[in-house]
Every structure is written in structure tokens, then in C-alpha cells.
Amino acid sequence: MMKTGMRALALATAGVLTLGLAACGDGAGKEGGTASVAEAAGNVATQEKFNHYVEAFNKLIDDSWGVGNNFRSYQQLDIPNKSANDSIYFPENITTLEGAIEALKEGRALRGGNQANAADAAVDKLLPTLEALLTQWKTLDPYYESRRYREDNLAQGKAADAGLKSAYEAAIAGINEFDTALTAYLRARDEAQLAAYRAAGHGELASLMDAMQKADHFSDSVIEDNKAEADRQLPALEAAVAEVRKAEATLAADDGNKTEFKLIADYLEGMIGDYRDYKQGGSDRDRESVVDNYNRAVGQMGDVEHPAS
């Protein structure tokens, strides 16, 4: 799942950027009680629904333009203690937020299976909070952009401060609940896909997915600052990354996945290194770098070629 270093906001997670499924070996996924890919992922409408949901989520947690980043920037303005003589640059990204809302509505309109029930319920709660925040942005952005605050001694801005912060907090709470539902779906789907790859003899792809799943849980432990759990998971993660390196070495030079395997392994090894830096120095920047490298690996997964269904 893609994660973001919103450290002041409980650090949310998101999903793989696309939900294309390789169906090979799907029926073999029941071994050991693991659901098949079809059972975990749902029908075509469900998968398309989650494509929209993941697109929306990644916009909402974008490191530059997401809700959490804008909230941090707004808090740093300290509007209650500002004056009309100050130069105030109001943080917002109306276009990104509108795009996220549109993607959520498109996904919600699709009639998916039971796999989407929790996510749909989270979206129903999230959408009103995002629309309330968007309304605040559309009201306050022209106020600050046109410097009207110089004429009213920042009265409108100060009057709106508490309400805007409440709107941010409600939106972030909704994003975190949405995250929980997305993560549950994506992890179940990926576990089924991993079992299917193993059953079908696609060992190199199974190794890659196994490493990414372990990195997913490891990064959660780092985000939660649970060093004991991260340390417990670390040996298995390193072993899984080593398997990705072995798989990379077996791929032909002209195999389209060879570069992707290398880059993903590089990012995961960088993530491990960042964690050890964090343990040594305790810097939040190093902890966020763990998440950044994980996110880069997730992004690279979107370029990995899968067997045709």
C-alpha cells in the first residue's frame, strides 16, 4: 500500500496505483485457506471501483498537494497571531481536491460486490468532509490571494481560522478511515495474487510481491514508531529483498521486468537503510524517508509486466 509521511496526522496508507489482475493460477489460490484472486478482488465493477478509490486516495495524501500537507502549511501560518501587515500565502490545491472528490464519486457510483462495502461506507462519510473543506478553500483563497485581509485587518481570516481547522481535522479523520478500508481490500487481494503466482510457477513475480508485502507491514511498524516490531520483521524483509535480487539476476537482459526488479530492490534496500539511520539518530526525516522509499517502490510496481490473463 502506498504510504505518506503525514507524521502529525497518524500517517496514512494507500494502495497500489493500479488494480490490474493477472488471472493465471487464480483457482490455485485456495491452498492453505487463501482466497482466490477473483474472490478477493471481486468482479470487474468492484475492481474498477477500487481503481477510482485508489486514484482519489493518492491525490488526498499527495506529499505536495494533499490534505495533510496543506493542513501542516496552514497551521504554520498561525493566523490568530498574524496581522494585516504580514504577507500571507494561503495553502490550497483546489484542482487536486476536486479531482479526488470526482474520483470518489465515480467509484461510489459503480455497483461493486461485498468486497467494497467497507470502502463505500467510508466514502459516504468522507465525501461531505472533503466538500466542506473545498468550500472553505474556495472562499478563503481569493480573500488571501487578492490581499483583502489588508483592508479588513485580517478579520475574515481570523474568524474563519477555527472552522477551517475543524474542516481539516474532519477530512483527515475520514481519510484515515478510508485508508483502513482500502488497505484491508488491497492486502487480501495481494495475498491471493501471491498465492496464485506461486501456484502457477511465476517464482520471480511471487518473490517481488512477497517483498512488497513484507515492506508494507514493515513500513507500518516504522510509521507507528514500533521499533521492536520493525526489528522483528527486518530479517524476513531483508531475506525477501535478497530473493528479488536473485530473481532479477535470472531475468534475461531484454526482459522488460529486469530494470523494474532492480529499481524496486534499490528502493527497498534504501528503505531499510533509512530505518537504521532512524534507529541510530531518531530523526523524523529519516523515518519519513522510509515511507518515501516504500512509496517509490509502490510506484515502480505499476511498471512491472504481469502474465497475460
Side-chain angles (χ1 to χ4, degrees):
M1 317 306 125
M2 178 168 283
K3 307 177 191 298
T4 183
M6 298 189 295
R7 60 183 178 186
L9 309 174
L11 300 159
T13 61
V16 177
L17 296 175
T18 57
L19 300 181
L21 298 173
C24 61
D26 185 18
K30 290 180 177 286
E31 292 182 5
T34 301
S36 72
V37 178
E39 289 171 335
N43 59 24
V44 172
T46 302
Q47 295 170 42
E48 183 61 25
K49 176 188 287 283
F50 276 94
N51 275 331
H52 288 298
Y53 282 174
V54 170
E55 176 191 352
F57 195 86
N58 289 339
K59 291 179 185 295
L60 292 172
I61 66 165
D62 184 86
D63 284 342
S64 298
W65 305 116
V67 172
N69 185 68
N70 278 299
F71 188 27
R72 287 196 302 274
S73 297
Y74 179 74
Q75 289 174 306
Q76 290 166 3
L77 289 179
D78 193 18
I79 291 297
N81 293 310
K82 280 288 193 292
S83 76
N85 295 323
D86 292 316
S87 294
I88 302 173
Y89 299 95
F90 183 70
E92 54 77 28
N93 194 293
I94 290 171
T95 301
T96 297
L97 186 53
E98 286 179 331
I101 290 171
E102 180 182 0
L104 287 173
K105 289 180 176 179
E106 289 175 351
R108 188 64 181 90
L110 293 171
R111 189 172 292 181
N114 292 336
Q115 299 89 341
N117 287 347
D120 283 346
V123 169
D124 289 342
K125 294 172 66 174
L126 175 59
L127 274 170
T129 71
L130 297 179
E131 289 173 332
L133 179 61
L134 181 62
T135 297
Q136 293 262 31
W137 280 3
K138 286 184 173 181
T139 299
L140 291 169
D141 183 50
Y143 170 75
Y144 284 107
E145 187 68 22
S146 66
R147 315 293 194 270
R148 286 206 311 269
Y149 64 86
R150 297 200 188 282
E151 296 183 355
D152 73 351
N153 199 30
L154 196 53
Q156 181 181 345
K158 290 188 176 184
D161 180 69
L164 179 56
K165 288 175 179 174
S166 294
Y168 268 118
E169 289 165 356
I172 288 162
I175 291 168
N176 286 336
E177 185 173 339
F178 184 41
D179 155 41
T180 299
L182 273 179
T183 299
Y185 170 84
L186 291 165
R187 284 179 174 171
R189 183 214 64 184
D190 289 348
E191 181 180 351
Q193 186 66 80
L194 173 59
Y197 278 148
R198 284 174 171 158
H202 296 294
E204 72 289 351
L205 288 167
S207 295
L208 186 64
M209 289 199 70
D210 182 52
M212 289 299 296
Q213 287 184 15
K214 287 180 168 61
D216 173 24
H217 292 284
F218 175 79
S219 56
D220 269 356
S221 297
V222 176
I223 285 168
E224 295 162 3
D225 200 20
N226 189 342
K227 295 187 181 73
E229 180 60 19
D231 286 344
R232 186 191 70 79
Q233 295 176 12
L234 185 56
L237 172 60
E238 287 194 292
V241 176
E243 290 301 313
V244 176
R245 289 294 190 196
K246 291 178 184 177
E248 174 203 341
T250 66
L251 296 174
D254 60 352
D255 190 306
N257 279 341
K258 193 173 185 70
T259 297
E260 310 311 326
F261 274 52
K262 178 186 184 305
L263 290 172
I264 291 167
D266 287 346
Y267 292 140
L268 296 183
E269 287 172 349
M271 179 182 74
I272 292 167
D274 291 330
Y275 171 66
R276 288 187 168 127
D277 287 343
Y278 172 61
K279 279 188 64 181
Q280 181 73 23
S283 167
D284 282 332
R285 179 171 295 180
D286 288 329
R287 183 165 65 151
E288 290 180 356
S289 292
V290 172
V291 178
D292 290 343
N293 266 316
Y294 175 81
N295 282 346
R296 293 183 186 106
V298 170
Q300 206 67 45
M301 283 288 289
D303 292 332
V304 173
E305 297 176 2
H306 297 268
S309 58

